[in-house]
Amino acid sequence: MEQKMFCFQCEQTAGCSGCTGNAGVCGKSANTAKLQDELTGALIGLAKSCGNNPKTENTDRIIIEGLFTTITNVNFNDETLKEMIAKVKAEKNKIVPDCSACQNPCGNTDDYDMNNLWNDNEDIRSLKSLILFGIRGMAAYAYHAMVLGYTSDEVNSFFYRALSVIGYDMDMDLLLPVVLEVGEKNLICMELLDKANTETFGTPTPTTVPLSVEKGPFIVITGHDLYDLKLLLEQTKDKGINIYTHGEMLPAHAYPELKKYPHLKGNFGTAWQNQQKEFDHLPAPILYTTNCLMPVKPSYADRVFTTEVVSYPEMVHIGEEKDFTPVIEKALELGGYEADREMTGINGGKTVMTGFGHGTVLGVADQVIDAVKSGAISHFFLVGGCDGARVGRNYYTEFVKQTPKDSVILTLACGKYRFNDLDLGTIGGLPRIMDMGQCNDAYSAIKVAIALAEAFDCNVNELPLSMVLSWYEQKAVCILLTLLHLGIKNIYLGPTLPAFLSPNILNYLVENYQISPISTPEEDLKKILG
């Protein structure tokens, strides 16, 4: 008999309070949730064991991989979770091999029981949840950078400290600085990943991406891992197979070292939460490289492949050898569409643009600054974040449609699929909608905001810039904490506020950072523009 669960880490959590039944809204079972808690408790035990004992690069990798595994929509496979737990415990036994034989156990290296957290005082639980969910999101970014050979001792060391903090009794005054430190360290981590991506694949350039699919065999690749895409492009060269990105992989089209492959054709479908409909009976395989996996429907179960930390029961997993032969063979077997198929975004657009990272935008900074000074640009809106299935997310589409024609919309992550196929025209030769990239490319938005503030000799909060953010999972949490660390205020957040924020902690954020829940596009635009 499956045991009941408690999970409130994502935006879609049941009743805006927490999933407590036999399965979460995301689709994971109560047993899977229990194993993820057990894995988290083991990671806390490993982190505490390293307090007075030397860790290794392998320990770092295990900590990052374990945290990434527990993000929403990454791993639904109990067997691989058990393997990950065993790997964590084995690593701890290497670091403190004599603990189990100790005659006077101190308990300092014990695995942590997550029920202690879920049943704690609601304010303590809230602050520790912000720390835990924040470092889970940050671990995803650290993982992608690590795959490309880029690491940060400062970031890695913080994972250990943050995990240890969760396992100790601490009051609010001690926990709050750690919450903000998650944001500080995540900024370093996003900078690291930006460097890894641009030094490996080049600086993104503005690129128009078609949404239609050509006839013949093809593969859809989804997630965030650009290196997996690079390997897939290499292995499919000259095989008559086209490659289409999906979801957060869309910005890959802007990187010179990826766009040079002629068989990287376009983008398939829209945001992650539409996959069960869009992949239904798809005549092509889908390769999942990171999170954004939903429970797989029988109509396309035979064509789902996973890699890295993504795992789902009975799906073919591509291991560390990165041999995508099974995916390639499935693409040739299925054959793709018999004729070219025209597709559109949710607003009917046939193409989308991407590639407006900080390298591009700051490259025309003088042009942007002159446009602001002349009045050609009246306001900047950062409208981005995670998409999701909850009713009310059309708010972001309507908000963008109603923004003044002399304003610019910066966007990033998969929330942009609500409006990125709209044609809102240009200002001074620049498109009004600029896709800055994946969720981690919030770093680009921060770089641009800081540069504009310096140009106008003011702070970021004094700029004609408003942030209207959508959240879904834990990477959005660490990005929000980064914005708070930077002192950025007046953020509009939706479609709902996080269930793990207690009333007292929410009041603190409102009073100190003026975070506001979204209302209606009309009301919010009126407040923003006065």
Side-chain angles (χ1 to χ4, degrees):
M1 180 178 178
E2 289 188 323
Q3 97 174 49
K4 303 291 184 182
M5 67 188 294
F6 176 76
C7 183
F8 63 171
Q9 71 173 2
C10 78
E11 184 271 334
Q12 68 182 353
T13 194
C16 295
S17 60
C19 295
T20 58
N22 292 319
V25 176
C26 69
K28 71 181 176 186
S29 70
N31 198 57
T32 301
K34 172 182 171 292
L35 287 169
Q36 290 185 350
D37 275 357
E38 186 178 338
L39 172 56
T40 304
L43 289 168
I44 291 171
L46 174 58
K48 290 164 69 176
S49 298
C50 295
N52 296 311
N53 298 284
K55 63 183 181 64
T56 66
E57 287 185 11
N58 188 56
T59 322
D60 291 347
R61 174 176 287 274
I62 288 172
I63 289 280
I64 292 169
E65 185 179 337
L67 284 169
F68 192 1
T69 298
T70 59
I71 287 182
T72 305
N73 293 90
V74 169
N75 193 310
F76 293 84
N77 192 333
D78 291 357
E79 293 309 310
T80 55
L81 286 169
K82 291 174 185 176
E83 291 170 8
M84 190 70 226
I85 292 167
K87 187 188 296 188
V88 173
K89 289 179 180 293
E91 186 69 15
K92 187 173 77 170
N93 287 336
K94 290 179 187 175
I95 292 168
V96 284
D98 300 323
C99 243
S100 59
C102 180
Q103 297 298 313
N104 298 294
C106 62
N108 289 339
T109 64
D110 289 350
D111 291 355
Y112 181 70
D113 183 353
M114 292 296 287
N115 288 312
N116 293 332
L117 174 56
W118 307 141
N119 295 316
D120 209 338
N121 166 277
E122 65 174 357
D123 293 332
I124 300 299
R125 182 178 74 169
S126 186
L127 290 172
K128 286 188 174 183
S129 293
L130 278 166
I131 295 168
L132 175 60
F133 303 156
I135 61 172
R136 282 177 175 175
M138 187 166 71
Y141 300 148
Y143 187 94
H144 295 313
M146 182 174 63
V147 165
L148 296 174
Y150 291 72
T151 59
S152 163
D153 289 339
E154 185 175 1
V155 169
N156 289 350
S157 294
F158 181 70
F159 284 127
Y160 292 84
R161 194 165 84 78
L163 282 166
S164 297
V165 162
I166 295 165
Y168 290 129
D169 290 333
M170 301 177 72
D171 61 26
M172 290 177 60
D173 290 340
L174 292 174
L175 288 171
L176 191 55
V178 183
V179 170
L180 295 177
E181 192 177 356
V182 175
E184 176 190 359
K185 295 303 189 289
N186 183 59
L187 180 61
I188 297 169
C189 193
M190 288 195 297
E191 181 181 19
L192 178 73
L193 180 53
D194 178 80
K195 181 180 180 181
N197 284 338
T198 54
E199 291 188 354
T200 305
F201 305 113
T203 298
T205 57
T207 303
T208 300
V209 182
L211 300 179
S212 298
V213 178
E214 297 180 12
K215 67 178 181 181
F218 67 97
I219 296 169
V220 174
I221 180 169
T222 188
H224 306 72
D225 202 297
L226 301 178
Y227 185 61
D228 281 331
L229 173 59
K230 167 80 171 179
L231 294 176
L232 181 65
L233 288 167
E234 277 292 322
Q235 293 181 36
T236 51
K237 276 195 306 188
D238 305 319
K239 285 187 166 61
I241 299 172
N242 290 328
I243 306 300
Y244 292 86
T245 56
H246 172 267
E248 282 269 62
M249 196 64 80
L250 165 64
H253 291 272
Y255 287 90
E257 289 301 307
L258 297 174
K259 66 190 296 184
K260 71 181 183 182
Y261 291 90
H263 60 301
L264 178 60
K265 289 291 185 178
N267 192 70
F268 178 89
T270 53
W272 68 271
Q273 77 278 359
N274 300 320
Q275 65 189 258
Q276 290 180 326
K277 177 181 178 181
E278 293 175 344
F279 293 164
D280 193 35
H281 297 288
L282 186 71
I286 310 106
L287 176 63
Y288 288 84
T289 67
T290 55
N291 56 316
C292 304
L293 171 67
M294 292 179 74
V296 179
K297 293 177 63 177
S299 62
Y300 60 90
D302 67 326
R303 57 211 67 183
V304 166
F305 298 83
T306 60
T307 191
E308 299 294 347
V309 298
V310 188
S311 188
Y312 195 86
E314 300 179 10
M315 301 296 109
V316 176
H317 187 78
I318 307 298
E320 293 180 4
E321 74 285 354
K322 293 297 182 181
D323 180 359
F324 293 120
T325 299
V327 190
I328 293 168
E329 290 176 344
K330 180 60 72 171
L332 294 171
E333 172 194 331
L334 293 170
Y337 294 116
E338 294 181 357
D340 293 350
R341 178 164 294 205
E342 186 174 279
M343 296 182 176
T344 66
I346 66 171
N347 300 291
K350 296 180 180 179
T351 62
V352 294
M353 285 197 75
T354 190
F356 292 93
H358 62 88
T360 293
V361 178
L362 295 181
V364 294
D366 291 344
Q367 185 179 339
V368 173
I369 291 165
D370 288 344
V372 175
K373 289 180 176 178
S374 69
I377 295 177
S378 67
H379 207 89
F380 295 90
F381 294 94
L382 176 60
V383 186
C386 314
D387 207 354
R390 191 183 294 275
V391 173
R393 284 182 177 265
N394 60 331
Y395 164 95
Y396 297 94
T397 311
E398 295 306 314
F399 185 95
V400 167
K401 285 181 178 179
Q402 294 179 35
T403 53
K405 293 183 179 179
D406 58 356
S407 64
V408 170
I409 293 92
L410 306 174
T411 191
L412 48 85
C414 60
K416 62 177 168 269
Y417 280 104
R418 294 279 169 171
F419 51 81
N420 67 338
D421 64 321
L422 290 170
D423 182 3
L424 298 186
T426 61
I427 298 178
L430 298 170
R432 281 194 57 214
I433 297 180
M434 297 187 192
D435 175 14
M436 308 191 87
Q438 297 179 335
C439 55
N440 50 280
D441 290 309
Y443 176 72
S444 277
I446 290 167
K447 288 271 287 185
V448 168
I450 291 173
L452 287 173
E454 291 174 351
F456 289 105
D457 193 23
C458 65
N459 66 51
V460 171
N461 293 313
E462 294 171 321
L463 287 171
L465 167 67
S466 300
M467 298 191 180
V468 184
L469 306 181
S470 54
W471 83 283
Y472 174 75
E473 42 92 328
Q474 294 76 64
K475 283 179 281 185
V477 175
C478 63
I479 291 172
L480 176 63
L481 295 179
T482 294
L483 297 176
L484 300 186
H485 155 71
L486 292 169
I488 294 173
K489 300 182 178 181
N490 299 307
I491 297 169
Y492 287 77
L493 184 63
T496 61
L497 293 175
F500 50 81
L501 291 180
S502 68
N504 286 335
I505 302 305
L506 178 59
N507 287 339
Y508 174 88
L509 296 177
V510 171
E511 290 174 6
N512 289 274
Y513 299 97
Q514 288 78 59
I515 290 179
S516 300
I518 59 171
S519 56
T520 67
E522 296 80 7
E523 291 176 6
D524 291 344
L525 278 167
K526 186 177 179 179
K527 281 194 284 186
I528 290 169
L529 300 173

